[in-house]
Amino acid sequence: MEITNVTEYEAIAKEKLPKMDEWTLQENRNAFARILFRPRILIDVSKIDMTTTILGFKISMPIMVAPTAMQKMAHPEGEYATAKAASAAGTIMTLSSWTTSSVEEVASTGPGIRFFQIRFFQLQVYKNRKVVEQLVRRAERAGFKAIVLTADAPRLGRRESDIKNRFTLPPNLALKNFEGLDLGKMGEANDSGLASYVDGQIDRTLSWKDVQWLQTITKMPILVKGVLTGEDARIAIQAGAAGIIVSNHGGRQLDYVPATISALEEVVKATQGRVPVFLDGGVRRGTDVFNSRHLHLELPGYLPVLFSLAAEGEAGVRKVLQMLRDEFELTMALSGCRSLSEITRNHIVTEWDTPRHLPKL
């Protein structure tokens, strides 16, 4: 079967992935479908520039690879394959704390090859802060360029499919960043092994002061992930965050929160351009990336790649990143935009917009 878009990977992946995985709630996708385009015509679009700069690093397109845990459950090469594919695409991969490949293994991808090697590290804060310090310093030594602090999971949301399927890490795999610390294995439980692990290890006292604490143990910029309100966006900036990631954790933490694209405008307005804002959730098409950028010129969309990894390994992730790139470039051209700076709020219309008054020509 010839795969022509990202969502078609889902059907293939479901044949290979264990049934214990849960996915983004449908509203993250539906909200994108309710945004309509207002394309401009008769503009020379023979040349399209999709490059952008994030925290001083130039990337090939405003599409980054989202942090996803335990990728060897999807494919034997796991995070190593994803890292190579992201590097080949000239974009940034954010590595999860809960990986089945260590930070050092992922950092070693592409030796001797001309690879783009900018990576961020997503951090879960453990009760044992010495473990956190050690992990942050390992990531920094391995060449990672930013910390993505998960701020919306002091407890794990009620993930019913995990409970029904008794989710746990297979015995042949481990959380590689925590091997040797008696934290690398996930025991069986009566409901969800992951929920039990989080309850036992993750620090529920995590607060805004810890954003400041992290700045004392690393020179890497801190991005706060899980922001859905303007209030928290402003506090994040006051706490010294270098960037904000609008995310609802794939809809798996608290049900009935807004889709990320619906929360984006409030957050962007609150930041007043002081820090970059990222979108994590629901991005499956190049059109989604275009719809995100109308609000914030620096905003990249985070793309989950687990379906394509499960289906075809590194080759699948490469294909899906190329698909998103091609779709985004085509959307820009058909909307009359030659560079990212030309994408504006006037290029889209949403259900919450007030009636539009046409400007005088």
Side-chain angles (χ1 to χ4, degrees):
M1 181 180 83
E2 182 179 359
I3 298 173
T4 58
N5 64 69
V6 174
T7 54
E8 288 178 359
Y9 270 110
E10 183 173 352
I12 297 173
K14 283 183 174 177
E15 297 174 2
K16 300 185 178 186
L17 286 171
K19 63 179 181 178
M20 56 190 72
D21 285 308
E22 185 175 39
W23 302 104
T24 305
L25 288 180
Q26 196 61 41
E27 177 60 12
N28 273 354
R29 288 294 311 133
N30 290 342
F32 273 111
R34 295 193 292 268
I35 299 174
L36 304 178
F37 293 119
R38 298 183 70 250
R40 302 300 303 275
I41 60 172
L42 292 179
I43 295 171
D44 179 357
V45 291
S46 57
K47 294 181 180 179
I48 302 290
D49 180 13
M50 293 181 288
T51 60
T52 189
T53 301
I54 301 300
L55 300 179
F57 302 109
K58 188 175 182 179
I59 59 177
S60 66
M61 55 184 172
I63 301 166
M64 297 165 57
V65 176
T68 310
M70 311 172 204
Q71 292 188 17
K72 285 187 179 179
M73 290 184 69
H75 188 275
E77 292 186 357
E79 295 85 3
Y80 192 81
T82 301
K84 288 196 291 183
S87 295
T91 194
I92 296 170
M93 172 194 183
T94 298
L95 185 71
S96 168
S97 285
W98 293 337
T99 54
T100 42
S101 305
S102 69
V103 290
E104 292 82 7
E105 289 170 330
V106 171
S108 72
T109 55
I113 306 174
R114 191 183 170 206
F115 269 77
F116 177 92
Q117 300 227 31
I118 304 301
R119 301 190 181 102
F120 295 169
F121 182 71
Q122 175 265 334
L123 180 68
Q124 301 279 359
V125 176
Y126 279 58
K127 293 175 181 176
N128 185 338
R129 292 303 179 92
K130 291 191 180 300
V131 169
V132 178
E133 290 185 39
Q134 182 185 88
L135 188 55
V136 168
R137 291 186 173 124
R138 283 173 58 195
E140 193 161 21
R141 284 197 302 268
F144 286 74
K145 301 302 183 185
I147 292 293
V148 173
L149 174 65
T150 292
D152 61 351
R155 295 176 60 176
L156 206 65
R158 184 173 174 82
R159 305 180 183 184
E160 294 180 357
S161 65
D162 285 0
I163 295 169
K164 291 175 182 176
N165 296 297
R166 304 289 189 266
F167 179 93
T168 192
L169 195 61
N172 63 312
L173 296 177
L175 301 178
K176 295 288 284 188
N177 287 323
F178 302 98
E179 276 194 322
L181 298 170
D182 294 324
L183 299 171
K185 288 293 184 180
M186 191 177 297
E188 293 185 3
N190 292 329
D191 44 22
S192 163
L194 178 60
S196 297
Y197 184 85
V198 169
D199 284 346
Q201 302 298 338
I202 299 304
D203 192 348
R204 295 186 187 181
T205 72
L206 186 69
S207 68
W208 290 111
K209 63 181 173 56
D210 293 305
V211 177
Q212 298 169 321
W213 169 71
L214 283 171
Q215 293 168 69
T216 69
I217 65 170
T218 182
K219 294 180 180 178
M220 290 184 286
I222 310 299
L223 311 179
V224 177
K225 177 177 178 286
V227 175
L228 290 173
T229 66
E231 296 94 321
D232 280 342
R234 285 187 285 269
I235 296 172
I237 293 170
Q238 291 167 5
I244 288 169
I245 301 176
V246 177
S247 174
N248 58 22
H249 220 108
R252 292 169 299 145
Q253 275 300 99
L254 180 62
D255 237 343
Y256 303 105
V257 296
T260 51
I261 189 64
S262 300
L264 180 63
E265 194 155 19
E266 176 184 334
V267 172
V268 168
K269 286 180 178 178
T271 65
Q272 298 179 325
R274 288 174 287 177
V275 298
V277 179
F278 305 74
L279 181 80
D280 173 41
V283 175
R284 298 293 185 276
R285 289 277 196 175
T287 51
D288 301 334
V289 181
F290 186 94
N291 284 337
S292 304
R293 287 198 61 86
H294 70 267
L295 292 170
H296 193 62
L297 295 181
E298 294 186 47
L299 185 129
Y302 262 119
L303 176 70
V305 296
L306 205 61
F307 287 142
S308 55
L309 177 68
E312 296 179 343
E314 180 188 342
V317 180
R318 285 191 184 221
K319 285 180 187 177
V320 90
L321 287 169
Q322 186 62 47
M323 282 180 191
L324 263 287
R325 180 185 178 87
D326 293 345
E327 290 176 6
F328 180 55
E329 183 179 31
L330 182 60
T331 304
M332 285 182 65
L334 296 180
S335 297
C337 299
R338 296 160 294 192
S339 66
L340 302 185
S341 63
E342 292 186 353
I343 303 173
T344 72
R345 185 65 168 81
N346 289 328
H347 283 97
I348 62 105
V349 60
T350 70
E351 59 188 354
W352 59 85
D353 285 339
T354 55
R356 186 181 297 273
H357 298 286
L358 295 179
K360 292 182 180 180
L361 296 177

